[in-house]
Amino acid sequence: MKNEFPEEHRIVDIDLSQEMQESFLEYSYSVIYARALPDARDGLKPVHRRIVYQMGEMGLRPERGHVKSARVTGEVMGKLHPHGDSAIYDALVRMAQPFSLRVPLIDGHGNFGSLDDGPAAARYTEAKLSQAAMLMNDGLDEDVVDFKPNYDAQLSEPEVLPAAFPNLLVNGASGIAVGMATNMPPHNMREVIAGARYLLENPQANTQDLMQYIPGPDLPNGGIIMGLDGVRDAYETGRGVFKTRARVSVESVSPRKLGLVVTELPYLVGPEKVIEKIKDGVNSKKLQGISDVTDLTDRTNGLKLVIELKTGFDPQVVLDLLYRFTPMEDSFGINNVALVDGRPLTLGLRDLLGVYLAHRITVTRRRTATRLGKRKARLHLVEGLLIAIVSIDEVIQVIRASEEVDDARKRLREIFDLSEIQAEYILELRLRRLTKFSRIELETEKESLLTEIAALEKILSSESNLRAVVSSELSEVAEKYGDDRRTTLISEVEEVKPISMAKAVAVNAELADTPCTVTLTSDGRLARLDGHVKITKAAKRTKHDAVASTIKTTTRQDIGFVTSLGKVHRIHAADVPSFGAEFDPLQTVVANEFLGLPKDEQIIAVFELTDSVELALGTEQGVVKRVVADYPAKDEFEVITLKDGDRLIGAAVATEAATLVFVSSDAQLLHYSAASVRPQGRPAGGVAGINLDENARVIFFTAISEPSTSIVVTAANSSLAIPGTDAGSLKISDLSEFPGKGRATGGVRSQRFVRGEDQLYFAWVGSEPALALTKDGKPVDLTVEKAKRDASGAPLPAVIGFVGN
């Protein structure tokens, strides 16, 4: 049958399986060698290497201005990397991200993305080389590496960059090839260089020796690496797994709330991803005790993720649940696969450093040889010039007598014993160079060249000298460009093991119900002590402060703070900062700041907020109220409706068996049974408690359970004196001296005023013994004789600010 197709269109039968095998091998080789895996010498994939090299060729140095990233992408794609602009721009972006690389190679200007968002398009961003990238290109003009033709053989590109620091270990790498992948974490430059220098000096060093200098990865965003067994395995074999955790602190995120403040996350984990997982965990009941999550991250202050906790939940238990069910704990699998002589190999720490150091020794040797050759060539020319200057007249005569340039060159070589290069150089020399000063300069240059040649020959004379130069240069790089470690390494740690959702729901994240004691000092400072602590007399009165109230409660109980505006602020006992089991006035917090109170609102009393506790309240205008123990589950609520201009003076826990006591500024004391005051609901305004004269006001109110053993302490002075300057007189009497009267009466006189006194500025009623402080925290001696109820007082050495027991 006649062939209908011309010879060039003939169909050839081939074996499909053989063709697929050959094509797949070619594709695999291309992906492995030319795309996905980094070279162990400079730590760069081809696309990264071409970007750094081409930007150097474009003159995009750190001291110059940025240019559009699109221009860089176009240059790289058109001259070296014909694989599409998106791949080139993605590689450029990664080299500019400080959260991806420990030492970024690109100085980016514009939106290069974040952990949660991608970058802007190449036409919107700008780039130039960083100082570290200049180290990667350093020496390219000195024949330190081999060059190869580009894809169309019209230009050339370096096979590898000189790399003045171990970029593969410092910045890490990741890539997926065919049948293999690489995943290497970043490290600290100072530590890596210290390990490399140690290996230079001690070629037989093992992994354990190197880990003294390189203890573990140092991630760009910090965080905490938990356990070093996986890191040790990776350094030994090239494969291993380690866990990273977020850096979290327990802080007061509001005056009444504790929270977990996250300032560092695991490598390449963004805050939005964490927030999303937290919300999913809360909705599915896997996470407990979380009331809100706020992202306060910004470019100025960095990462800040605030996880607000519900009252009564243990922050550590909640944190453990977050580690289990969110990316706040993440695993990093190390797989140190890199190209060595064009072959993919899995390398341990020692091998990685060894390959890099061998590369740097080769670079240093070639650079030194190149410099030596240039200096010898220059010395050869200088020596010829010196000969010419010495016999300048004869040289000129020879040149003038020659008819052709070739003839002049030949005669110069014969007469003055010059080489062809020297003769040619002399022929091209300008006459103005042949002066006395030129001769001096040339002789100085010759001496300098001889010195430099000797130094370069010394470097090349032995391997140890070469190693010393490499070590010295690495040391300079570490000192200039290295920084402190960011990631914390914890070698031994109790692992937070994964648990199922059913077990997560069963986990009790609430605080253990343990005894505690809440203290409030006279200066308005607050603290929680572990256990039911008995406050000693020495601890009650210190140099600067005294304990005014103690509440023995448990960590799951609520505490109520009654304020002068008639409000109760509810605080969970566990939310009060704990300072151990011993009271120390220096280890306290300011109660008003902790509660978030305005300056015009003062704390009057503290009590355990339960449904069985009834309060008795007394106001400045003489109103009394007993509050029904029906408190709402709110952080803040009113317990009395105050009249305009009125405020609470005192509040105390009181049953019907208690005795209520009022003391007014005009020295009237009134006490009567609490049973005479009918309990009222919270919105009520109370009833008349004491009948006051026109200019008088209540200065003290309390409820006494043991009136027979109570004493009355009063202090009088002049109302015209500047506050704090007139101490006046002090009187102490037994409460039993004062007859009881009915509610809303005027009471009886508690102290007789002497000349110059017209008011009580202080009063206190309670059980013995009584301790007193001045307003500036100094103790006051109360060892005065008890007096009758209407007697005058004894002179006081200082103004009283606090009395208690």
Side-chain angles (χ1 to χ4, degrees):
M1 183 177 177
K2 187 178 179 181
N3 186 10
E4 298 180 1
F5 299 98
E7 189 69 24
E8 61 269 24
H9 292 159
R10 183 176 298 171
I11 297 173
V12 179
D13 292 332
I14 60 172
D15 189 323
L16 180 60
S17 62
Q18 182 180 355
E19 178 64 24
M20 290 294 293
Q21 184 177 8
E22 292 176 356
S23 298
F24 186 76
L25 286 174
E26 290 179 4
Y27 167 74
S28 301
Y29 179 80
S30 174
V31 171
I32 291 170
Y33 181 74
R35 288 178 61 184
L37 298 183
D39 192 297
R41 294 171 292 178
D42 62 5
L44 297 175
K45 300 177 186 179
V47 63
H48 298 105
R49 184 179 304 114
R50 287 164 179 166
I51 291 171
V52 173
Y53 169 70
Q54 188 60 39
M55 290 181 72
E57 291 295 293
M58 295 170 65
L60 302 180
R61 302 174 60 84
E63 65 270 16
R64 297 184 180 177
H66 296 80
V67 302
K68 287 290 185 182
S69 299
R71 178 182 166 191
V72 176
T73 302
E75 286 279 325
V76 174
M77 180 174 60
K79 294 182 177 180
L80 303 176
H81 196 76
H83 292 289
D85 57 342
S86 61
I88 298 172
Y89 184 55
D90 289 345
L92 184 146
V93 164
R94 185 180 183 275
M95 290 193 291
Q97 292 174 334
F99 52 83
S100 294
L101 270 62
R102 188 63 177 80
V103 181
L105 301 179
I106 301 295
D107 181 359
H109 185 214
N111 178 16
F112 277 82
S114 67
L115 288 166
D116 295 306
D117 299 312
R123 61 184 178 274
Y124 298 120
T125 62
E126 298 177 341
K128 63 180 179 179
L129 292 176
S130 68
Q131 289 289 353
M134 298 304 296
L135 296 176
M136 298 295 293
N137 282 337
D138 186 35
L140 277 175
D141 57 345
E142 296 183 284
D143 190 32
V144 293
V145 294
D146 292 333
F147 278 68
K148 62 181 180 180
N150 70 334
Y151 67 91
D152 61 0
Q154 294 187 14
L155 302 170
S156 62
E157 61 176 310
E159 292 184 355
V160 65
L161 294 184
F165 67 94
N167 178 61
L168 185 58
L169 276 167
V170 170
N171 281 325
S174 64
I176 300 175
V178 178
M180 62 186 66
T182 185
N183 199 31
M184 303 176 66
H187 289 74
N188 183 273
M189 179 184 284
R190 289 177 181 169
E191 294 176 355
V192 171
I193 288 180
R197 295 183 66 202
Y198 179 80
L199 185 60
L200 267 176
E201 298 172 3
N202 305 274
Q204 304 304 319
N206 56 31
T207 303
Q208 193 64 32
D209 297 331
L210 293 175
M211 286 190 70
Q212 296 179 6
Y213 299 91
I214 311 174
D218 186 23
L219 308 175
N221 53 332
I224 303 172
I225 293 180
M226 312 300 292
L228 298 181
D229 291 340
V231 174
R232 195 173 292 108
D233 292 341
Y235 285 172
E236 191 69 45
T237 66
R239 294 173 183 259
V241 179
F242 65 86
K243 288 188 175 182
T244 59
R245 283 184 182 176
R247 192 178 300 279
V248 185
S249 60
V250 180
E251 300 179 12
S252 295
V253 296
S254 70
R256 308 180 188 184
K257 289 283 187 179
L258 287 178
L260 302 173
V261 179
V262 183
T263 54
E264 296 174 5
L265 286 172
Y267 186 41
L268 300 181
V269 173
E272 289 185 11
K273 183 179 180 182
V274 174
I275 292 174
E276 181 182 352
K277 290 295 183 181
I278 290 176
K279 290 180 178 178
D280 292 343
V282 171
N283 293 334
S284 62
K285 309 296 184 184
K286 290 190 294 186
L287 298 177
Q288 306 175 38
I290 297 175
S291 62
D292 192 18
V293 183
T294 307
D295 187 6
L296 301 179
T297 304
D298 58 40
R299 294 183 182 274
T300 303
N301 301 312
L303 175 70
K304 187 173 184 180
L305 197 61
V306 179
I307 304 172
E308 190 172 313
L309 301 181
K310 294 179 180 177
T311 297
F313 283 82
D314 190 338
Q316 188 57 52
V317 177
V318 176
L319 184 57
D320 288 345
L321 292 173
L322 287 169
Y323 285 148
R324 287 188 176 101
F325 297 111
T326 72
M328 285 176 59
E329 179 177 278
D330 199 14
S331 295
F332 189 99
I334 301 177
N335 192 21
N336 295 336
V337 179
L339 295 175
V340 180
D341 296 330
R343 297 176 56 194
L345 297 177
T346 302
L347 306 172
L349 177 63
R350 187 179 183 280
D351 294 332
L352 286 169
L353 289 175
V355 171
Y356 170 75
L357 291 174
H359 171 58
R360 279 306 294 178
I361 290 173
T362 301
V363 166
T364 304
R365 180 185 290 112
R366 292 182 60 166
R367 183 189 64 201
T368 305
T370 300
R371 291 177 179 177
L372 179 61
K374 288 181 178 180
R375 280 154 182 75
K376 284 185 174 180
R378 177 60 185 171
L379 177 63
H380 187 59
L381 295 177
V382 169
E383 288 175 341
L385 284 176
L386 287 172
I387 292 173
I389 289 175
V390 171
S391 307
I392 185 61
D393 294 334
E394 192 175 351
V395 168
I396 294 174
Q397 184 178 357
V398 168
I399 295 173
R400 290 185 64 184
S402 302
E403 296 183 359
E404 300 289 341
V405 174
D406 291 340
D407 186 35
R409 185 186 303 112
K410 182 179 179 181
R411 292 184 63 191
L412 285 174
R413 292 181 59 188
E414 291 174 352
I415 297 173
F416 299 102
D417 194 20
L418 299 174
S419 67
E420 185 172 353
I421 295 176
Q422 289 174 325
E424 182 67 29
Y425 190 72
I426 291 172
L427 285 172
E428 295 178 355
L429 192 67
R430 294 184 179 183
L431 291 176
R432 66 182 182 184
R433 289 288 308 276
L434 305 178
T435 63
K436 179 180 179 182
F437 292 105
S438 294
R439 179 178 179 180
I440 296 174
E441 291 173 1
L442 288 172
E443 288 176 347
T444 304
E445 183 180 358
K446 179 181 179 180
E447 293 176 2
S448 176
L449 287 171
L450 289 172
T451 303
E452 291 179 13
I453 289 171
L456 293 171
E457 288 177 339
K458 182 179 179 182
I459 293 173
L460 294 173
S461 64
S462 70
E463 188 75 10
S464 60
N465 291 340
L466 268 174
R467 289 174 174 267
V469 172
V470 172
S471 179
S472 175
E473 290 177 351
L474 285 173
S475 176
E476 292 176 3
V477 170
E479 183 177 353
K480 187 173 182 179
Y481 299 102
D483 59 2
D484 296 333
R485 166 171 282 276
R486 300 175 188 174
T487 302
T488 302
L489 303 177
I490 299 180
S491 57
E492 297 181 4
V493 64
E494 184 179 348
E495 184 179 0
V496 180
K497 297 181 179 179
I499 60 176
S500 65
M501 178 177 174
K503 289 185 178 180
V505 175
V507 171
N508 186 6
E510 291 185 335
L511 286 167
D513 197 17
T514 57
C516 65
T517 303
V518 177
T519 64
L520 180 68
T521 72
S522 62
D523 199 29
R525 303 191 70 87
L526 187 65
R528 172 166 59 91
L529 308 178
D530 298 334
H532 285 169
V533 180
K534 183 178 180 181
I535 307 296
T536 63
K537 183 176 180 180
K540 272 181 172 288
R541 183 170 66 188
T542 66
K543 182 177 180 180
H544 301 288
D545 206 354
V547 176
S549 302
T550 59
I551 304 296
K552 294 181 179 179
T553 182
T554 65
T555 50
R556 290 189 182 178
Q557 185 57 54
D558 286 345
I559 304 298
F561 293 82
V562 186
T563 72
S564 58
L565 298 184
K567 298 178 182 179
V568 172
H569 293 261
R570 180 192 295 268
I571 293 294
H572 204 70
D575 290 342
V576 178
S578 175
F579 296 99
E582 294 186 6
F583 175 76
D584 183 353
L586 299 179
Q587 292 184 326
T588 53
V589 295
V590 179
N592 273 44
E593 294 179 1
F594 179 75
L595 296 174
L597 302 182
K599 292 183 178 180
D600 60 345
E601 189 173 7
Q602 289 82 39
I603 297 174
I604 301 301
V606 184
F607 68 101
E608 192 176 42
L609 190 55
T610 66
D611 292 339
S612 61
V613 175
E614 294 183 353
L615 285 178
L617 310 174
T619 76
E620 189 176 53
Q621 295 179 3
V623 176
V624 68
K625 178 182 178 181
R626 284 180 61 205
V627 185
V628 176
D630 181 20
Y631 307 114
K634 297 180 178 179
D635 291 340
E636 178 184 327
F637 54 88
E638 288 188 348
V639 287
I640 185 174
T641 301
L642 295 172
K643 297 178 182 178
D644 291 342
D646 201 4
R647 66 187 183 96
L648 275 186
I649 289 298
V653 176
T655 63
E656 289 191 352
T659 298
L660 305 183
V661 182
F662 278 95
V663 181
S664 65
S665 60
D666 59 352
Q668 297 298 305
L669 185 148
L670 174 66
H671 67 87
Y672 47 84
S673 173
S676 62
V677 180
R678 180 176 60 85
Q680 296 177 302
R682 291 182 299 102
V687 296
I690 183 174
N691 186 20
L692 297 171
D693 286 346
E694 182 178 355
N695 296 321
R697 57 187 175 83
V698 174
I699 63 171
F700 181 79
F701 170 83
T702 191
I704 301 296
S705 58
E706 297 290 340
S708 60
T709 61
S710 297
I711 61 172
V712 178
V713 180
T714 56
N717 69 358
S718 172
S719 60
L720 300 177
I722 298 175
T725 60
D726 182 10
S729 60
L730 171 75
K731 184 178 81 69
I732 300 177
S733 306
D734 290 323
L735 182 60
S736 58
E737 289 278 334
F738 298 83
K741 288 193 173 185
R743 180 181 63 82
T745 59
V748 297
R749 188 166 64 179
S750 59
Q751 182 171 343
R752 179 166 55 85
F753 295 142
V754 298
R755 187 171 183 179
E757 296 177 344
D758 61 356
Q759 68 166 2
L760 289 184
Y761 73 87
F762 183 85
W764 179 83
V765 180
S767 58
E768 294 187 274
L771 305 173
L773 291 177
T774 64
K775 288 187 180 293
D776 58 358
K778 296 178 181 179
V780 177
D781 187 10
L782 294 184
T783 57
V784 297
E785 245 182 81
K786 289 183 180 179
K788 295 295 183 181
R789 64 176 178 83
D790 60 346
S792 60
L796 257 178
V799 176
I800 294 178
F802 167 78
V803 174
N805 56 8

